[in-house]
Amino acid sequence: MSQESTPERVVEEELDRQIGFIGASAIGIGTMIAAGIFVLSGLAVSKVGAAAIVAFLLAAVVAAFTAAAYGEFSSIYPESGGGYMYVAETFDTDLTYIMGWTMILGYPASAAFYLASFSEWFFRFIYPVLNIPQAIPFWVAGVVILLLLVGLNLKGTEESNTFQIVVTALKIVLIVLFLYGGLQAIDSSTITASMAENITHVRDIGLTSALVFITFFGFSAIATNAEEIQSPARTVPRAIYFSMGFVTLIYTLVVLVIVIAVNDVGFLSFLSDQLTLGGNEAARDFVGQNGEVAMGLAAQYYLGSVGFYVIIVGALFSMLSAANATIMAGSRVKLAMARRDHLPAQFEELHPRLNTPYKTVMLTGGFILIYVVIFTVIFGGVPGSETTTTPFGLHLGLETLAGFANFLLLSGLTIVNVAIIASRRKFPTIERPFRVPAAPWVPLLAIAANLVLLANVEPRSFAIGLVAEFIGVGLWFAVIGSAPSIERIEAETPTAIADYTAARPERGYQVVVPIANPANIEQLMRTACTLAAENDGEVFVVSAVTVPHQTPLSSGRGLAEQRRAVLVRAIEFAAEWGVPASGVVRVSHDAAHAILNTIRQNESDAVIVGWRGSWSNRRNVVFGSTVDDVITNADCDVYVEKIGPRADGQVDSILLPTAGGPHAYLAAETARAISHATGAVTRVIYVIDPRADAEERERATALLEAAAATFEDTPVETLLVENADVVEGIVTEAKNHDLTIIGATREGFFQRLLFGAVPEAIGQRIPTTVIMTKRKLDVSSRLGDLLGRR
């Protein structure tokens, strides 16, 4: 088996680390000081006055809690991918695709908000100056900038990062100029009165805080680019908190200036004259309805025409740089997803000349364009127009787009906080250069705070976010959830030893047997050989050498030789049965990952895993973490065999409880195969409540007859067992048999249990050997199981 794809080979394809502390801080500050400060600060003041300061501070505090989790994760996993990658490293299940999908949508939604804001400000403030015809749609400027930014990111990170630093420095200077002009007119009584008037409007403050949360999400863009940041374990946490602290101060001062302006009689008179509004009250109403341009109007009043246009140009560059940083971060998430097979492998490709992940950049740009078209072109309307009509009368616009982005981002951040708690429990000894203080209390507080803000997201945005998430789930089941390439499997879990001592059937039936304990070889191989012989197939043995997550996989090759004896014994056992057998030893950070990759690479038909017969003491773990992962994620039939007391493997009688369904039919096929090999008599039973009516008894009899029909050439009996307790009825009957085989119950994901309560309880209580079966299902059946359909 090829060993060309190694962990080192993957590392060699990474981009060089070129971003230092200043560059990392610029990514965060550049993303946070953008459309949020120029658009949302005015909207916030128009909604809750000076209490907008409280709304911004609440959003900052909530973001700071989650930022701690990002800081810790980035110190452990200094790679691109941000929250998605952290969740995937912690849970190692395909359900983490949902986190990736959330970020796939969230980052472009943020960038679309910045570019839509750019279009609106450009239309309102630059069109008149340059005499641009109104016939040119307002959104054209944003689309042109999007194309330029996509091209910039295709060119390379070094160029886009230098651009980010320059633009961030420029807009900080411009905002200081704005503050210099506005703070000279500060009136503490105005601030106090506005605060007193609005501070009791708790619901409005909550809604505003949820609206402006997007402004602080820039901290995640720093972690998402960790792969390109120098000394990321130290630089990322410092850059995150420096940028957040700096931006919070800036936002507070900007809100103060806007509050002063909207309560300044001189400003209202100026605004009324400039826009011919007909008085101060009309001017006040205009600000309330057009809060997204309040900062620009305030700049014109305090700084005059020259200062005003300097600020406008600075605002446009701010929105541009924030969109650029978000495109960078969003493309890195997609790159990380492609590496874990949650996106097609082609999105992992680097450009042969530019060495950039060009396909993920283009995909990010495509999502942004879709959002811009939907939220601003089709359902947005012309900025400032009161007569614009939209399809179905549905108006979305900037505020709904910001809410949609916040829904996605808050959902993702909530999952990251859950992951940091799980990581502390799952990997207690892993080195963490930066640690979340007072864990798990700080992450729990962050989860609660994120959920509160999520509940305050504008209803239309919330509904659109839910629809988008459901689309992602559908795409996974219908399109994306396919097996990874052989090259990727070898890179993730390299083969250290391969032993092919027997002729292998060509594209025939294959049973994979993971063996960790040599004492279980004979029992597991006996069942595997029986199934292989029944299907004219082969057995494939896999043994995993695991190394800590921070240890290179190549280090595990030296430990693999001692596992060769496992392969030899298993293959020799199969030879005695006349069944072809092969085997490998794989190196992995996780045994389940090695088993699953073996199944995917070989396109195996079944896997048999051993179980010691007792439940795990760990919460949310049933048979044991490795077995649970294999049951949940194996794309083949699954057999969980409880190791029985009889070393000789003699089977004279088999008990087959049935209740119908695909998993029960697989159990019947398994019983027939073992009966065919051993001559054992199979007793098929159905446990029925003594109070059952005639219709239910008739159905039970039909199920027994259907199951018995499977045993055409082997002895079989049927029995209707009357007992109000299904588990008790089966356990009592099982005492009279050498082997019990039972299919998984079709309980859905929301019931959490992997096999269902009945098979688990039976496996734990019956003293003899028990085999539990789970049939591989097609897409529609898997989706039905996920949703709990029986």
Side-chain angles (χ1 to χ4, degrees):
M1 191 171 291
S2 171
Q3 298 183 17
E4 292 180 359
S5 296
T6 66
E8 291 77 13
R9 176 73 173 272
V10 175
V11 172
E12 287 173 0
E13 295 180 353
E14 302 292 345
L15 304 179
D16 293 335
R17 298 185 188 274
Q18 300 168 333
I19 303 175
F21 173 77
I22 294 177
S25 299
I27 291 173
I29 294 173
T31 308
M32 288 186 268
I33 296 183
I37 198 165
F38 294 102
V39 174
L40 294 181
S41 55
L43 281 173
V45 171
S46 70
K47 293 177 182 296
V48 291
I53 296 174
V54 178
F56 273 102
L57 289 176
L58 284 174
V61 169
V62 173
F65 286 146
T66 301
Y70 270 77
E72 179 169 323
F73 270 133
S74 66
S75 72
I76 305 171
Y77 310 113
E79 305 170 32
S80 292
Y84 160 75
M85 196 267 294
Y86 305 149
V87 173
E89 287 286 354
T90 301
F91 295 112
D92 195 24
T93 167
D94 280 338
L95 290 176
T96 58
Y97 159 80
I98 302 302
M99 174 65 181
W101 175 256
T102 301
M103 294 295 99
I104 275 183
L105 298 181
Y107 279 113
S110 301
F113 169 72
Y114 302 141
L115 291 175
S117 300
F118 181 97
S119 294
E120 179 154 342
W121 274 52
F122 195 88
F123 179 79
R124 286 181 182 253
F125 298 123
I126 303 299
Y127 265 45
V129 175
L130 301 181
N131 293 318
I132 298 176
Q134 297 285 315
I136 297 178
F138 73 96
W139 46 263
V140 169
V143 172
V144 170
I145 292 300
L146 171 61
L147 296 176
L148 292 175
L149 293 180
V150 168
L152 182 66
N153 279 271
L154 290 175
K155 181 70 168 61
T157 301
E158 182 177 8
E159 289 79 2
S160 57
N161 182 58
T162 302
F163 170 81
Q164 189 74 25
I165 294 174
V166 172
V167 173
T168 299
L170 176 62
K171 63 186 175 184
I172 290 174
V173 171
L174 296 176
I175 290 173
V176 170
L177 176 64
F178 170 77
L179 294 175
Y180 172 76
L183 290 175
Q184 293 184 63
I186 191 166
D187 181 355
S188 60
S189 62
T190 298
I191 302 296
T192 303
S194 179
M195 183 69 76
E197 180 184 351
N198 291 281
I199 195 65
T200 57
H201 300 165
V202 177
R203 173 62 174 165
D204 291 337
I205 293 174
L207 289 169
T208 306
S209 189
L211 174 66
V212 303
F213 182 82
I214 190 175
T215 63
F216 293 101
F217 191 65
F219 75 81
S220 70
I222 300 174
T224 302
N225 287 277
E227 190 172 89
E228 295 147 27
I229 293 176
Q230 300 166 2
S231 304
R234 180 171 179 266
T235 303
V236 170
R238 291 172 62 225
I240 284 176
Y241 280 103
F242 172 78
S243 59
M244 289 189 67
F246 181 84
V247 167
T248 301
L249 174 63
I250 293 293
Y251 269 104
T252 301
L253 295 175
V254 168
V255 168
L256 284 175
V257 171
I258 296 175
V259 170
I260 294 168
V262 299
N263 289 278
D264 186 338
V265 175
F267 170 72
L268 295 175
S269 298
F270 165 81
L271 192 59
S272 178
D273 293 340
Q274 287 288 108
L275 302 177
T276 62
L277 296 175
N280 289 0
E281 284 304 315
R284 192 185 302 275
D285 292 340
F286 177 85
V287 172
Q289 296 170 6
N290 297 269
E292 65 271 17
V293 292
M295 183 176 175
L297 297 171
Q300 186 174 16
Y301 174 67
Y302 288 119
L303 300 176
S305 296
V306 175
F308 164 68
Y309 285 111
V310 168
I311 291 297
I312 294 302
V313 172
L316 294 174
F317 271 102
S318 295
M319 299 168 192
L320 185 153
S321 69
N324 177 65
T326 309
I327 291 173
M328 288 171 60
S331 64
R332 295 308 181 262
V333 172
K334 295 172 182 64
L335 180 62
M337 291 185 69
R339 289 171 177 168
R340 292 177 179 271
D341 304 302
H342 288 159
L343 280 180
Q346 60 182 320
F347 289 106
E348 189 179 352
E349 296 175 7
L350 301 181
H351 193 280
R353 182 171 56 85
L354 301 175
N355 201 36
T356 56
Y358 65 108
K359 291 185 177 180
T360 64
V361 172
M362 295 176 67
L363 181 61
T364 302
F367 272 115
I368 295 170
L369 182 61
I370 290 172
Y371 289 144
V372 169
V373 170
I374 292 175
F375 283 87
T376 65
V377 178
I378 299 177
F379 295 105
V382 179
S385 173
E386 298 180 0
T387 60
T388 300
T389 58
T390 57
F392 313 110
L394 177 64
H395 182 80
L396 299 179
L398 285 179
E399 191 169 338
T400 305
L401 178 55
F404 172 65
N406 282 326
F407 172 87
L408 296 167
L409 302 178
L410 284 165
S411 299
L413 295 184
T414 302
I415 298 173
V416 170
N417 281 289
V418 172
I420 199 67
I421 297 173
S423 176
R424 289 285 189 96
R425 294 183 178 181
K426 188 174 182 180
F427 309 116
T429 60
I430 198 170
E431 183 181 354
R432 301 172 189 269
F434 177 85
R435 299 176 68 89
V436 175
W441 301 112
V442 168
L444 286 172
L445 187 59
I447 292 170
N450 285 328
L451 291 177
V452 168
L453 286 186
L454 195 58
N456 282 283
V457 169
E458 188 258 342
R460 277 181 303 181
S461 301
F462 196 100
I464 295 171
L466 285 179
V467 171
E469 294 285 19
F470 281 122
I471 291 174
V473 173
L475 280 175
W476 171 257
F477 279 98
V479 180
I480 301 173
S482 58
S485 66
I486 292 177
E487 290 78 11
R488 180 173 289 104
I489 287 173
E490 279 296 316
E492 293 175 347
T493 52
T495 300
I497 296 174
D499 200 336
Y500 303 126
T501 58
R504 306 177 68 195
E506 207 169 308
R507 298 184 62 82
Y509 182 89
Q510 185 187 80
V511 184
V512 171
V513 186
I515 298 179
N517 186 350
N520 300 333
I521 289 177
E522 290 191 6
Q523 179 163 338
L524 295 177
M525 287 297 295
R526 189 178 295 113
T527 303
C529 289
T530 299
L531 294 174
E534 185 75 7
N535 293 279
D536 193 25
E538 71 160 347
V539 175
F540 196 90
V541 184
V542 59
S543 185
V545 173
T546 57
V547 295
H549 278 70
Q550 289 185 318
T551 300
L553 293 174
S554 56
S555 301
R557 293 183 182 274
L559 304 173
E561 188 61 34
Q562 55 192 274
R563 297 295 181 92
R564 183 183 293 276
V566 172
L567 301 186
V568 172
R569 283 183 55 191
I571 291 171
E572 288 177 347
F573 185 94
E576 294 174 5
W577 277 63
V579 173
S582 309
V584 297
V585 176
R586 285 193 181 277
V587 182
S588 177
H589 294 306
D590 182 87
H593 205 180
I595 297 168
L596 293 170
N597 273 347
T598 300
I599 294 169
R600 291 165 182 152
Q601 181 174 359
N602 293 353
E603 298 181 358
S604 306
D605 300 280
V607 60
I608 300 175
V609 289
W611 177 45
R612 60 181 176 272
S614 60
W615 285 327
S616 171
N617 293 325
R618 291 170 56 191
R619 181 180 297 180
N620 295 329
V621 176
V622 182
F623 299 100
S625 59
T626 298
V627 180
D628 285 1
D629 288 345
V630 172
I631 294 170
T632 304
N633 299 308
D635 191 24
C636 66
D637 295 341
V638 177
Y639 299 84
V640 176
E641 181 165 358
K642 174 190 170 184
I643 307 303
R646 292 191 61 167
D648 59 8
Q650 181 64 37
V651 177
D652 296 320
S653 60
I654 302 171
L655 180 68
L656 179 66
T658 189
H663 307 307
Y665 293 142
L666 178 61
E669 293 170 7
T670 305
R672 183 192 63 191
I674 296 176
S675 176
H676 187 264
T678 63
V681 177
T682 301
R683 172 170 287 185
V684 185
I685 69 169
Y686 184 98
V687 179
I688 192 169
D689 193 305
R691 298 164 293 182
D693 57 23
E695 183 178 349
E696 188 173 348
R697 289 177 181 274
E698 184 177 343
R699 174 179 174 276
T701 301
L703 284 173
L704 288 175
E705 292 175 352
T710 305
F711 300 83
E712 298 173 350
D713 54 353
T714 57
V716 62
E717 303 171 351
T718 60
L719 178 65
L720 200 60
V721 176
E722 297 199 6
N723 197 308
D725 186 329
V726 174
V727 173
E728 187 61 38
I730 295 174
V731 170
T732 300
E733 182 66 27
K735 295 176 181 177
N736 304 316
H737 300 274
D738 301 309
L739 171 65
T740 300
I741 305 176
I742 183 169
T745 54
R746 295 191 65 180
E747 293 180 289
F749 172 74
F750 297 109
Q751 278 79 18
R752 168 63 186 93
L753 300 178
L754 298 171
F755 264 102
V758 172
E760 292 166 13
I762 291 170
Q764 201 270 341
R765 292 179 58 182
I766 294 176
T768 54
T769 301
V770 179
I771 297 176
M772 290 168 277
T773 64
K774 175 174 175 281
R775 171 81 78 185
K776 173 188 174 181
L777 301 176
D778 59 20
V779 171
S780 60
S781 298
R782 285 191 287 124
L783 183 57
D785 276 0
L786 182 73
L787 298 177
R789 184 190 68 195
R790 294 191 181 261

